Amino acid sequence: MNALKFYKENIEKSKAEIDKINKQSLAIGWSRLVIFVLLIFSIYKFYSMDNPTLMVSFGAFFIILFLVVVGFHNKFLQKKKKQEIMIQINEQGLRRLNGEFKNEEDKGEEYIDEKHPYTYDLDIFGDNSLFQLINTTVTKAGREALAKILSRNTISTAEEINKKQKAIDELGKKVKWRQKLILNGKLNINNTDEEVNELEYLKEWSKSEGKTVGYRKIIAYIFIAITFIAIVMSFIGTLKGSYILLLLMVNFIVIRSLTKDSRDVLHMFSLIKPTVKAYSEILALIEDENVDSEYLKEIKNKIKNVDNNISCKKEMKKLSSILDWVGDSNGNAYYLIINLFIFSDVFLVSNLESWKKKNGKYLDSWLEAMGEFDALSSVANLPFDFDEWNYPEVVSEKVVLGEEIGHPILGERAVRNTYRLEESTKVTLITGSNMSGKSTFLRTIGLNLVLSYLGAPVSAKNFKCGLFDLYTCMRTKDNLQESISSFYAEILRIKLLIEGAKEGKRIFFLLDEIFKGTNSEDRHTGAKVLINQLMDAGAIGLVSTHDLELCDLELRDNRIKNQNFREYYEDNKIKFDYKLREGRSKTQNAIHLMKLAGIDFKENN
């Protein structure tokens, strides 16, 4: 299925449906006006005729008819909202295809960690990041799960990655189902920081100690009975109406007393009611969907409880239905009045406690499964959108081999290269002039490794890699608050790399212009010693450098290989082809760039 065609066709379908709904909605709007006018006219007409029976009858009829039409109107508005969200979903798909995803508001900026082994250097989060390209999560659980797998908080085995590949490939083909998941989330969830607290509140509540509510229900039944007996007595004239008001005041005090330890719970649920509804519908989608891949089946098992035959779908729907009665317990006048007569708060607390007693121990697992499906569905955008990408082969050997590898974030602008690091070769030294593509190529390799470990396809014709702990040192800067210079910041990152190597980790490193903050002699010596130390510890990787003398290492050590990028000139203008070549760089452009900046190199200077 062609992604571009799919997104465009769906946008056109939704727009046509919205036009249809607008016409129907306009007709309903006029119907509401006509019914309202008839209501006023009938009341006036029969009142002037002094016929209260017909006045009340016709008045009731038109009010009921008006409410029915309002209900229909609201359904049409809900349908319109769904189509508007579908347009947003498909337009986001087009932005991914067109390379305009960097305009997405959610950049995952709170996950930026300059001390992480690779995420900061490889633009995993933040502006123009891999997170922006992939993320379509609609739940906080899904967003957190996506951030964790992008950061590799847990290291998967080659077998697990293979299972994830099959799962992501399967979800990639279920594009309509994935869009339903997004739709259900966007209809109800406000993706703000507040939802993080809502998710945590829900988890904490499910694990909290249960409250004894049996005696409270008995007290509530007694006062409800007293209240209705008093109302009947008032109607037949044996009790003054003022006593009813006094009784309702007593009811208010009793309700507050019986629910004093649950006020925060009721308030919290009045706020997160839409979120719970969305969770309920998403989990129902997951439970109802048939999946073939082993990994997806394992996740689905988290929402099943074979022992007690509990259906996550039914129980979450039940929780959502309970919450439908919560209302705005802090400000809704209708709710407060109803509460005084039927003690709804007491029964809500009772129902919530019963639900928690039965399902609380499973809720965490259900939400975890929902988050994993949400995250994997986001990753599954890649095989659907970029059908020219291919799944990598993850092996036990220490190799990185790729044919026509491209930078995933650059899209069609990426220049593709073939790269091989295998057998006895441990380190590739990449030289080249300024702006020739060295740093971009390092990120190209790094990002495709990250995608490989996600179980996602990579931007390459073929890609084969070993399982590594990825370490980078590419983008260091001063930290004035901690009195750290950029050079010292670089030293700290190198220290982490060396410590990882000493611990016996299978390390793949990407080092860009190392030790650039010191003099040329120290830089050359330090780089040479570091490279040898890393190779001796079993680490492999790429090092970009302007230090051409470092290329002499290839002559003395067959574990090191030189490759380069270069520039060329047309009409005295510098140009780059960004193609990786064998050997050391034989070109330089610093003087040319300085001249372009206006620096005048004269003989007497």
Side-chain angles (χ1 to χ4, degrees), residues 197-360:
N197 294 329
E198 291 173 8
L199 181 64
E200 291 306 314
Y201 282 147
L202 196 57
K203 289 181 178 181
E204 288 174 12
W205 171 77
S206 69
K207 297 172 184 175
S208 63
E209 188 177 347
K211 297 179 176 66
T212 304
V213 293
Y215 77 93
R216 306 182 200 194
K217 289 173 68 175
I218 294 171
I219 294 172
Y221 281 127
I222 291 170
F223 275 89
I224 290 171
I226 292 171
T227 301
F228 277 92
I229 290 170
I231 291 171
V232 172
M233 291 175 66
S234 176
F235 268 107
I236 62 178
T238 58
L239 187 71
K240 291 183 178 179
S242 57
Y243 286 106
I244 301 295
L245 294 176
L246 179 61
L247 182 57
L248 292 178
M249 291 174 64
V250 172
N251 285 357
F252 177 79
I253 295 170
V254 173
I255 291 168
R256 299 295 287 190
S257 177
L258 292 175
T259 60
K260 64 181 179 181
D261 57 352
S262 301
R263 302 313 305 170
D264 290 341
V265 172
L266 290 174
H267 174 65
M268 183 268 288
F269 275 119
S270 72
L271 295 175
I272 71 169
K273 181 167 61 173
T275 300
V276 174
K277 181 180 180 182
Y279 288 174
S280 170
E281 292 177 352
I282 290 171
L283 283 164
L285 269 177
I286 295 169
E287 187 173 314
D288 290 342
E289 185 66 15
N290 292 321
V291 294
D292 298 320
S293 63
E294 185 180 347
Y295 190 69
L296 293 181
K297 287 179 179 177
E298 288 173 3
I299 300 175
K300 278 194 70 173
N301 283 338
K302 293 180 182 180
I303 63 173
K304 292 180 179 178
N305 183 0
V306 181
D307 295 338
N308 296 318
N309 198 28
I310 290 176
S311 167
C312 168
K313 171 185 172 181
K314 291 180 181 178
E315 294 303 322
M316 286 301 296
K317 187 175 181 180
K318 188 182 294 183
L319 177 60
S320 181
S321 297
I322 292 171
L323 297 185
D324 283 340
W325 288 91
V326 172
D328 182 1
S329 57
N330 288 307
N332 190 309
Y334 297 108
Y335 178 85
L336 291 174
I337 293 170
I338 293 170
N339 195 20
L340 293 176
F341 283 96
I342 63 172
F343 284 58
S344 52
D345 276 359
V346 176
F347 292 101
L348 278 170
V349 171
S350 175
N351 290 336
L352 287 170
E353 286 297 323
S354 296
W355 190 94
K356 181 171 70 174
K357 184 178 179 180
K358 181 180 180 182
N359 303 299

Side-chain angles (χ1 to χ4, degrees), residues 88-102:
Q88 293 172 13
I89 293 169
N90 286 284
E91 284 179 342
Q92 186 178 8
L94 288 180
R95 288 195 294 273
R96 285 194 301 274
L97 293 176
N98 299 333
E100 297 173 357
F101 59 88
K102 60 185 177 182

